[in-house]
Amino acid sequence: TYPRIITQLVARYEKELRRAKRPAVRMILNRDIASSRLMILCVSQVMRSRVSNTDSSSGLVSSPSRPQEVIKLELTDGWYSVPAVLDGILTSFVRRGKIRVGSKLLLSNATLLGAEDGIDPLDSNYSSSRRDCPVALRLVANSTRLANWDAKLGFVPVVGKIRAQEGFLLVRSLSDIMPGGGNLPLMDLIICRQYPKLFLEQGGVNRVLSEAEDELCRKQFEKKRQVAIDKIMESAEKECSKEVEELAPHEWKKMMLSYSPSDYYEKLPKEGQRIVDNWKEKRAVMMQDMTRKWVDSTLQEDPSLTRTSIPFLRVFVKAYRTNSAGAQKKRASGNGAEPPTKNEGAILTIWRISEEQCNLIKEGNVIRVRNLAVKSTLHDGLLQLTANAKTQMQEHPSSPIQQQQLHFSGYKKRAHISMVRMHIFSKKRLTSSTSLPATGEVDIAGNILKFEKKRRGLSEVVMVYMSDESGLILRLEKEVEDADDDFLYPQLSKVVQEGGNDVVIAFHDVSILRFDVEENTAVAAWTRSSSFHIKNGSPRLRSLQSWCESSAGKMLRSNLATAFRAGIPITNKYPSDQGLAIGYILCFKKKDFSSPSCPSDVPHHSIFSSVQVLIDCGSHIPINAEFPLYLLEQLLRLWNQDKSKTVDSMSSSMLVENEGSHDCSDFDFGPDQIDTTLDELTKVCRQYGILFHFVLRKKTPARIFLGKPGVEANQSFEVKQIKKANICALSTLYMANSTNGIMKN
């Protein structure tokens, strides 16, 4: 009614002008208070408009037939209104009806666009209902929440919990964060894993370097830059000398052109000598200044003489949760501690990390972070958080029950897993990635059996084999693309040389890979985040060190190393469809094409991909197996090479004795010459009498064997790998088996 309107206007006059208590929107538009403060506003209008999809660079309309819909909101504090610009996620919420007229929004970290000097909502040139209003609040999803229907509009009073949250919206769970939903106003995070510091080298191609690699690149660049500066200074001195000489006094020029400048100087009068002395000092200063400017300008023009390396640190974090309700329940019931809740982690990347931030970032610490950026994409299913120059960090206030809160939040102190668990995780990779650590990275400790380099494609791979009390083996791989990148192999060589065979090494943050069923080893990969340690005082390392120095540990490690060189798994376990055999090749023969599985209308050479081989393993019946042609071709190529070269057939190589010679250059795999080729190959095998190590795959149901008698001749096998058997290691293993009974066939 009219009297009520007059009463409200009078009350508004008294409150705003007489008592100077302005509403939230008016104070923000006047720029008397930050728009980032925590407040509750109501949606008074949803403004929809259609804008043509225009290319901003050319001004051309790319699709005029389908204009893009733009949604804005008009927000009110109950008296004044302000437009609001939404991000993509909030826009989708409006389209789905989650945000509509009458909804109350809890806003934090909002940004006021336009009105740099402030504006009054009562000005004639301001209208919040105009779609082209230049003044608006910019809202993002991660800083916006739906408020209760009965929540009071305006600024949220900074008391109690809000005061503890520094007046910002505290994001309590990582599940509340939306990728690409804007910055986080405030969040408490637990540092669960800290990775080594890395460096982003910017240039033609951006590269991520470790601290050692960055130091090496920096030294190489400084050396290259100094050589370039010396050349630039040499040319600069010549050019600058010409310019300076043009400004020289007459006495200096005549002295420099004389036969003996020193004699000419002695003959000059005192005034002339004074002029020459002054110019000499002035010339040195001018030359130094001009040369410096010349070098600086040349360095700025040449981007190859400027190096930019940005340090950053990656940490695995979890949300820090309070458990006040759970603590009350515990006190009331007297039961044990409440189990931790599921709390998925995230990767936090801190760019240009400072010394103060380094002191905060320690595993187990809780930090309070403000204005944290969130990337729009996930990596390995984990959120990607970014701390930049605008991000503020501080240590979270400690409390007497902080350890309980850490346990409730799902924090676990870094610990080394056993080889048994490592094998379980690696085998899970064969089928799925479930039930693995959240980061896919683990810490493992063990004794090194051996480490070597192998060629894989265009790069080399450093392979480290290690084990523990279980006798299970882990293969750790590090791919080396550049010789300068190979720091793991020399460092491990130094550690083993200094510590001996009993040294125990802990590897941190290695990535779990698929289990190697043929080598029967778990597999892990060295990444940019990985590191290794020798002495860190953990109980696991002390226990392993005691085991390595014991007689039982030395005996098991000796048997492991011997069995490993022999190519026989210490656990005597192979997959159900694979096995190994050690024996001599008796003969090669052509595959039988009369099988019903071979169509009669198809030429034999078109389906010819393998031959048959008979292997003598010491049993009464030889093993009949298919031998793929690619292994035959490798065999033929190796026999044509230098017989003194040691080659491993697993990497397309094999050791061939240098006794005698046999020319295989005329061998042919055509259908007409196959019989002759196989006969010649059989003669070669019998002539050399090499004992081979075969990895076989069963093609029909059969018992796994290790060269045992009782294998039926009609069982079908296929040769997957072949290499020369290590007779010395096999003999040692046989003697150990016969004497100690440790290994059983």
Side-chain angles (χ1 to χ4, degrees), residues 146-188:
L146 283 173
N148 293 334
W149 66 272
D150 58 348
K152 185 178 179 181
L153 298 180
F155 292 120
V156 178
V158 185
V159 293
K161 287 186 177 181
I162 304 301
R163 184 181 298 278
Q165 298 169 11
E166 302 174 14
F168 290 92
L169 173 65
L170 179 63
V171 181
R172 299 186 179 276
S173 173
L174 291 174
S175 59
D176 297 335
I177 301 175
M178 288 165 278
N183 292 1
L184 303 178
L186 194 71
M187 192 167 189
D188 297 335

Short mmCIF file of all heavy atoms in Angstrom, two decimals, residues 146-188:
data_model
loop_
_atom_site.label_atom_id
_atom_site.label_comp_id
_atom_site.label_asym_id
_atom_site.label_seq_id
_atom_site.Cartn_x
_atom_site.Cartn_y
_atom_site.Cartn_z
N LEU A 146 24.45 -22.36 -3.49
CA LEU A 146 23.05 -22.06 -3.21
C LEU A 146 22.88 -21.86 -1.70
O LEU A 146 23.37 -22.66 -0.90
CB LEU A 146 22.15 -23.19 -3.70
CG LEU A 146 21.88 -23.26 -5.21
CD1 LEU A 146 21.11 -24.54 -5.53
CD2 LEU A 146 21.12 -22.04 -5.68
N ALA A 147 22.19 -20.80 -1.32
CA ALA A 147 21.94 -20.51 0.10
C ALA A 147 20.55 -21.00 0.50
O ALA A 147 19.69 -21.29 -0.35
CB ALA A 147 22.07 -19.01 0.36
N ASN A 148 20.33 -21.09 1.79
CA ASN A 148 19.01 -21.50 2.30
C ASN A 148 17.95 -20.46 1.92
O ASN A 148 18.23 -19.27 1.76
CB ASN A 148 19.05 -21.66 3.81
CG ASN A 148 19.93 -22.83 4.23
OD1 ASN A 148 20.12 -23.78 3.47
ND2 ASN A 148 20.48 -22.75 5.43
N TRP A 149 16.70 -20.92 1.82
CA TRP A 149 15.63 -20.02 1.39
C TRP A 149 15.37 -18.91 2.40
O TRP A 149 14.91 -17.82 2.04
CB TRP A 149 14.35 -20.84 1.17
CG TRP A 149 13.80 -21.43 2.46
CD1 TRP A 149 14.12 -22.62 3.02
CD2 TRP A 149 12.86 -20.81 3.34
NE1 TRP A 149 13.44 -22.81 4.19
CE2 TRP A 149 12.64 -21.71 4.41
CE3 TRP A 149 12.15 -19.60 3.32
CZ2 TRP A 149 11.78 -21.43 5.46
CZ3 TRP A 149 11.29 -19.32 4.37
CH2 TRP A 149 11.10 -20.23 5.42
N ASP A 150 15.69 -19.17 3.68
CA ASP A 150 15.41 -18.17 4.69
C ASP A 150 16.67 -17.39 5.11
O ASP A 150 16.68 -16.72 6.14
CB ASP A 150 14.80 -18.82 5.92
CG ASP A 150 15.70 -19.91 6.51
OD1 ASP A 150 16.68 -20.30 5.83
OD2 ASP A 150 15.44 -20.35 7.64
N ALA A 151 17.77 -17.51 4.31
CA ALA A 151 19.00 -16.82 4.66
C ALA A 151 18.82 -15.31 4.50
O ALA A 151 18.13 -14.83 3.59
CB ALA A 151 20.14 -17.31 3.77
N LYS A 152 19.45 -14.54 5.39
CA LYS A 152 19.36 -13.09 5.37
C LYS A 152 20.24 -12.53 4.27
O LYS A 152 21.40 -12.93 4.12
CB LYS A 152 19.77 -12.52 6.72
CG LYS A 152 19.59 -11.01 6.82
CD LYS A 152 19.98 -10.51 8.20
CE LYS A 152 19.81 -8.99 8.29
NZ LYS A 152 20.21 -8.48 9.63
N LEU A 153 19.70 -11.60 3.45
CA LEU A 153 20.45 -11.01 2.35
C LEU A 153 21.47 -10.01 2.88
O LEU A 153 21.31 -9.44 3.96
CB LEU A 153 19.51 -10.32 1.37
CG LEU A 153 18.47 -11.22 0.67
CD1 LEU A 153 17.61 -10.39 -0.28
CD2 LEU A 153 19.15 -12.34 -0.09
N GLY A 154 22.54 -9.83 2.09
CA GLY A 154 23.58 -8.89 2.45
C GLY A 154 24.87 -9.60 2.82
O GLY A 154 25.05 -10.80 2.56
N PHE A 155 25.79 -8.84 3.41
CA PHE A 155 27.06 -9.42 3.83
C PHE A 155 26.84 -10.40 4.99
O PHE A 155 26.03 -10.16 5.88
CB PHE A 155 28.04 -8.32 4.27
CG PHE A 155 28.51 -7.45 3.14
CD1 PHE A 155 28.28 -6.09 3.16
CD2 PHE A 155 29.18 -8.00 2.06
CE1 PHE A 155 28.71 -5.29 2.13
CE2 PHE A 155 29.62 -7.20 1.03
CZ PHE A 155 29.38 -5.84 1.05
N VAL A 156 27.60 -11.51 4.93
CA VAL A 156 27.55 -12.48 6.01
C VAL A 156 28.37 -11.95 7.17
O VAL A 156 29.53 -11.56 6.98
CB VAL A 156 28.08 -13.85 5.54
CG1 VAL A 156 28.07 -14.86 6.69
CG2 VAL A 156 27.25 -14.37 4.37
N PRO A 157 27.80 -11.86 8.37
CA PRO A 157 28.56 -11.31 9.52
C PRO A 157 29.84 -12.10 9.77
O PRO A 157 29.84 -13.34 9.75
CB PRO A 157 27.59 -11.44 10.68
CG PRO A 157 26.24 -11.54 10.06
CD PRO A 157 26.43 -12.24 8.75
N VAL A 158 30.93 -11.39 9.98
CA VAL A 158 32.23 -12.02 10.22
C VAL A 158 32.35 -12.35 11.71
O VAL A 158 33.00 -11.65 12.49
CB VAL A 158 33.39 -11.10 9.77
CG1 VAL A 158 34.73 -11.82 9.90
CG2 VAL A 158 33.17 -10.66 8.33
N VAL A 159 31.68 -13.40 12.12
CA VAL A 159 31.72 -13.86 13.51
C VAL A 159 31.80 -15.37 13.49
O VAL A 159 31.42 -16.03 12.51
CB VAL A 159 30.45 -13.42 14.29
CG1 VAL A 159 30.42 -11.92 14.46
CG2 VAL A 159 29.19 -13.93 13.61
N GLY A 160 32.29 -15.94 14.57
CA GLY A 160 32.32 -17.39 14.73
C GLY A 160 33.13 -18.07 13.63
O GLY A 160 34.29 -17.76 13.40
N LYS A 161 32.47 -19.02 12.93
CA LYS A 161 33.15 -19.77 11.89
C LYS A 161 33.61 -18.88 10.75
O LYS A 161 34.67 -19.09 10.17
CB LYS A 161 32.23 -20.86 11.35
CG LYS A 161 32.03 -22.04 12.29
CD LYS A 161 31.23 -23.13 11.60
CE LYS A 161 31.08 -24.34 12.51
NZ LYS A 161 30.33 -25.44 11.85
N ILE A 162 32.80 -17.87 10.42
CA ILE A 162 33.17 -16.99 9.31
C ILE A 162 34.44 -16.21 9.65
O ILE A 162 35.30 -15.98 8.79
CB ILE A 162 32.02 -16.02 8.98
CG1 ILE A 162 30.75 -16.82 8.67
CG2 ILE A 162 32.37 -15.14 7.80
CD1 ILE A 162 30.88 -17.78 7.51
N ARG A 163 34.59 -15.82 10.90
CA ARG A 163 35.83 -15.14 11.30
C ARG A 163 37.01 -16.09 11.17
O ARG A 163 38.10 -15.70 10.75
CB ARG A 163 35.71 -14.62 12.73
CG ARG A 163 36.91 -13.80 13.19
CD ARG A 163 36.74 -13.33 14.63
NE ARG A 163 35.58 -12.47 14.77
CZ ARG A 163 35.59 -11.17 14.48
NH1 ARG A 163 36.69 -10.59 14.04
NH2 ARG A 163 34.50 -10.44 14.65
N ALA A 164 36.82 -17.35 11.56
CA ALA A 164 37.89 -18.33 11.42
C ALA A 164 38.24 -18.59 9.96
O ALA A 164 39.36 -18.96 9.64
CB ALA A 164 37.50 -19.64 12.10
N GLN A 165 37.26 -18.35 9.06
CA GLN A 165 37.49 -18.54 7.64
C GLN A 165 37.94 -17.25 6.96
O GLN A 165 37.93 -17.17 5.74
CB GLN A 165 36.22 -19.06 6.97
CG GLN A 165 35.77 -20.42 7.49
CD GLN A 165 34.37 -20.79 7.02
OE1 GLN A 165 33.81 -20.13 6.15
NE2 GLN A 165 33.81 -21.83 7.60
N GLU A 166 38.30 -16.26 7.75
CA GLU A 166 38.81 -14.98 7.24
C GLU A 166 37.81 -14.29 6.33
O GLU A 166 38.18 -13.52 5.44
CB GLU A 166 40.13 -15.21 6.50
CG GLU A 166 41.19 -15.86 7.36
CD GLU A 166 42.44 -16.21 6.58
OE1 GLU A 166 42.59 -15.71 5.45
OE2 GLU A 166 43.26 -16.97 7.11
N GLY A 167 36.52 -14.57 6.52
CA GLY A 167 35.49 -13.91 5.76
C GLY A 167 35.29 -14.44 4.36
O GLY A 167 34.62 -13.80 3.54
N PHE A 168 35.83 -15.62 4.05
CA PHE A 168 35.70 -16.20 2.71
C PHE A 168 34.98 -17.54 2.80
O PHE A 168 34.90 -18.16 3.88
CB PHE A 168 37.07 -16.40 2.06
CG PHE A 168 37.76 -15.12 1.68
CD1 PHE A 168 38.63 -14.50 2.57
CD2 PHE A 168 37.53 -14.52 0.47
CE1 PHE A 168 39.27 -13.33 2.24
CE2 PHE A 168 38.15 -13.34 0.12
CZ PHE A 168 39.03 -12.73 1.01
N LEU A 169 34.49 -17.99 1.67
CA LEU A 169 33.86 -19.30 1.58
C LEU A 169 34.92 -20.38 1.69
O LEU A 169 35.86 -20.42 0.88
CB LEU A 169 33.09 -19.42 0.27
CG LEU A 169 32.50 -20.79 -0.06
CD1 LEU A 169 31.43 -21.15 0.95
CD2 LEU A 169 31.94 -20.81 -1.47
N LEU A 170 34.82 -21.24 2.66
CA LEU A 170 35.78 -22.32 2.86
C LEU A 170 35.29 -23.56 2.13
O LEU A 170 34.24 -24.12 2.47
CB LEU A 170 35.96 -22.61 4.35
CG LEU A 170 36.92 -23.75 4.70
CD1 LEU A 170 38.33 -23.43 4.24
CD2 LEU A 170 36.88 -24.05 6.19
N VAL A 171 36.04 -23.99 1.12
CA VAL A 171 35.72 -25.22 0.39
C VAL A 171 36.24 -26.38 1.22
O VAL A 171 37.44 -26.48 1.49
CB VAL A 171 36.36 -25.21 -1.01
CG1 VAL A 171 36.00 -26.48 -1.77
CG2 VAL A 171 35.90 -23.99 -1.79
N ARG A 172 35.35 -27.28 1.62
CA ARG A 172 35.71 -28.32 2.59
C ARG A 172 36.10 -29.64 1.95
O ARG A 172 36.77 -30.45 2.58
CB ARG A 172 34.56 -28.55 3.56
CG ARG A 172 34.20 -27.31 4.37
CD ARG A 172 33.15 -27.59 5.42
NE ARG A 172 32.85 -26.39 6.19
CZ ARG A 172 33.55 -25.97 7.23
NH1 ARG A 172 34.60 -26.66 7.62
NH2 ARG A 172 33.21 -24.87 7.88
N SER A 173 35.69 -29.89 0.72
CA SER A 173 35.95 -31.19 0.10
C SER A 173 36.39 -30.99 -1.34
O SER A 173 35.93 -30.07 -2.03
CB SER A 173 34.70 -32.07 0.16
OG SER A 173 34.89 -33.26 -0.57
N LEU A 174 37.26 -31.88 -1.81
CA LEU A 174 37.69 -31.82 -3.21
C LEU A 174 36.55 -32.19 -4.16
O LEU A 174 36.57 -31.80 -5.32
CB LEU A 174 38.88 -32.77 -3.42
CG LEU A 174 40.20 -32.37 -2.75
CD1 LEU A 174 41.23 -33.47 -2.92
CD2 LEU A 174 40.73 -31.07 -3.33
N SER A 175 35.57 -32.95 -3.65
CA SER A 175 34.43 -33.31 -4.49
C SER A 175 33.55 -32.10 -4.78
O SER A 175 32.72 -32.14 -5.69
CB SER A 175 33.61 -34.41 -3.82
OG SER A 175 33.14 -33.99 -2.56
N ASP A 176 33.69 -31.01 -4.00
CA ASP A 176 32.92 -29.79 -4.25
C ASP A 176 33.54 -28.92 -5.32
O ASP A 176 32.96 -27.90 -5.71
CB ASP A 176 32.80 -28.97 -2.96
CG ASP A 176 32.02 -29.72 -1.87
OD1 ASP A 176 31.21 -30.59 -2.24
OD2 ASP A 176 32.25 -29.44 -0.68
N ILE A 177 34.73 -29.28 -5.79
CA ILE A 177 35.45 -28.47 -6.78
C ILE A 177 35.07 -28.94 -8.17
O ILE A 177 35.06 -30.14 -8.46
CB ILE A 177 36.96 -28.57 -6.56
CG1 ILE A 177 37.34 -28.09 -5.17
CG2 ILE A 177 37.71 -27.76 -7.60
CD1 ILE A 177 38.80 -28.28 -4.83
N MET A 178 34.76 -28.00 -9.05
CA MET A 178 34.42 -28.30 -10.44
C MET A 178 35.57 -27.88 -11.34
O MET A 178 35.99 -26.71 -11.29
CB MET A 178 33.14 -27.57 -10.83
CG MET A 178 31.90 -28.17 -10.19
SD MET A 178 30.45 -27.10 -10.29
CE MET A 178 30.75 -26.00 -8.90
N PRO A 179 36.13 -28.80 -12.13
CA PRO A 179 37.23 -28.44 -13.04
C PRO A 179 36.80 -27.32 -13.99
O PRO A 179 35.73 -27.37 -14.59
CB PRO A 179 37.50 -29.74 -13.80
CG PRO A 179 36.97 -30.82 -12.91
CD PRO A 179 35.79 -30.23 -12.21
N GLY A 180 37.63 -26.31 -14.10
CA GLY A 180 37.31 -25.16 -14.95
C GLY A 180 36.28 -24.24 -14.35
O GLY A 180 35.76 -23.38 -15.05
N GLY A 181 35.98 -24.39 -13.05
CA GLY A 181 34.96 -23.57 -12.40
C GLY A 181 35.51 -22.35 -11.70
O GLY A 181 34.83 -21.81 -10.81
N GLY A 182 36.71 -21.91 -12.05
CA GLY A 182 37.26 -20.71 -11.45
C GLY A 182 38.08 -20.99 -10.21
O GLY A 182 38.23 -22.14 -9.77
N ASN A 183 38.61 -19.93 -9.62
CA ASN A 183 39.48 -20.04 -8.46
C ASN A 183 38.71 -20.42 -7.20
O ASN A 183 37.51 -20.15 -7.08
CB ASN A 183 40.23 -18.73 -8.23
CG ASN A 183 41.24 -18.45 -9.32
OD1 ASN A 183 41.36 -19.22 -10.27
ND2 ASN A 183 41.96 -17.37 -9.20
N LEU A 184 39.43 -21.02 -6.25
CA LEU A 184 38.86 -21.38 -4.95
C LEU A 184 39.09 -20.23 -3.97
O LEU A 184 40.22 -19.75 -3.83
CB LEU A 184 39.52 -22.65 -4.42
CG LEU A 184 39.45 -23.89 -5.31
CD1 LEU A 184 40.19 -25.04 -4.65
CD2 LEU A 184 38.01 -24.28 -5.58
N PRO A 185 38.06 -19.79 -3.28
CA PRO A 185 38.26 -18.68 -2.32
C PRO A 185 39.20 -19.05 -1.19
O PRO A 185 40.13 -18.31 -0.86
CB PRO A 185 36.84 -18.40 -1.82
CG PRO A 185 35.92 -19.10 -2.75
CD PRO A 185 36.67 -20.23 -3.34
N LEU A 186 38.96 -20.22 -0.56
CA LEU A 186 39.74 -20.62 0.61
C LEU A 186 39.61 -22.13 0.77
O LEU A 186 38.53 -22.69 0.61
CB LEU A 186 39.23 -19.91 1.87
CG LEU A 186 40.13 -19.95 3.10
CD1 LEU A 186 41.35 -19.08 2.89
CD2 LEU A 186 39.37 -19.46 4.34
N MET A 187 40.75 -22.77 1.09
CA MET A 187 40.71 -24.22 1.28
C MET A 187 41.88 -24.64 2.15
O MET A 187 42.98 -24.09 2.06
CB MET A 187 40.76 -24.95 -0.06
CG MET A 187 40.44 -26.44 0.06
SD MET A 187 40.13 -27.22 -1.51
CE MET A 187 39.54 -28.83 -0.97
N ASP A 188 41.63 -25.64 3.00
CA ASP A 188 42.67 -26.23 3.85
C ASP A 188 43.10 -27.55 3.22
O ASP A 188 42.27 -28.42 2.95
CB ASP A 188 42.14 -26.47 5.26
CG ASP A 188 41.76 -25.18 5.96
OD1 ASP A 188 42.32 -24.13 5.57
OD2 ASP A 188 40.91 -25.21 6.86
#
